[in-house]
Amino acid sequence: IAETKPAELYLSGNTTPSTVPAAGGTYYIYVNNSGTQTLSWNVSNINGVSVSPIENVNGGTNKKISIIIPANTGTTTKNYNIRFYNTILR
């Protein structure tokens, strides 16, 4: 019988700088699931930032995620927090 290992979230290859230029840009991160269960996530309330794809990561695989940050045409600094986290269901 194969052992069931919970989904484990691991992020790598982050190209998103801590400060994004006013022109915005496209950045990438890899979401890896080293467990055997499915890892799920969602994106909400990120004010124009596009994150894709929004889909599950099966056990033992990874996905390249693009993060598109729009240009800031105003004079006010904008702050974004993008969080990935794993919830273990029991």
Side-chain angles (χ1 to χ4, degrees):
I1 297 176
E3 179 183 348
T4 299
K5 185 177 174 186
E8 292 185 18
L9 173 63
Y10 176 73
L11 302 176
S12 66
N14 184 1
T15 65
T16 306
S18 59
T19 303
V20 174
T26 301
Y27 305 94
Y28 301 95
I29 193 167
Y30 289 87
V31 176
N32 181 279
N33 177 4
S34 61
T36 57
Q37 296 178 349
T38 300
L39 175 65
S40 302
W41 71 88
N42 65 21
V43 176
S44 62
N45 195 26
I46 54 175
N47 302 319
V49 173
S50 173
V51 178
S52 67
I54 304 296
E55 57 189 45
N56 297 337
V57 179
N58 295 327
T61 62
N62 64 52
K63 289 206 185 287
K64 182 178 182 180
I65 307 298
S66 67
I67 301 169
I68 302 170
I69 300 175
N72 182 0
T73 57
T75 57
T76 305
T77 300
K78 294 183 180 182
N79 295 303
Y80 299 101
N81 291 304
I82 300 173
R83 295 184 180 124
F84 291 86
Y85 58 90
N86 186 16
T87 302
I88 298 174
L89 303 175
R90 298 185 189 271

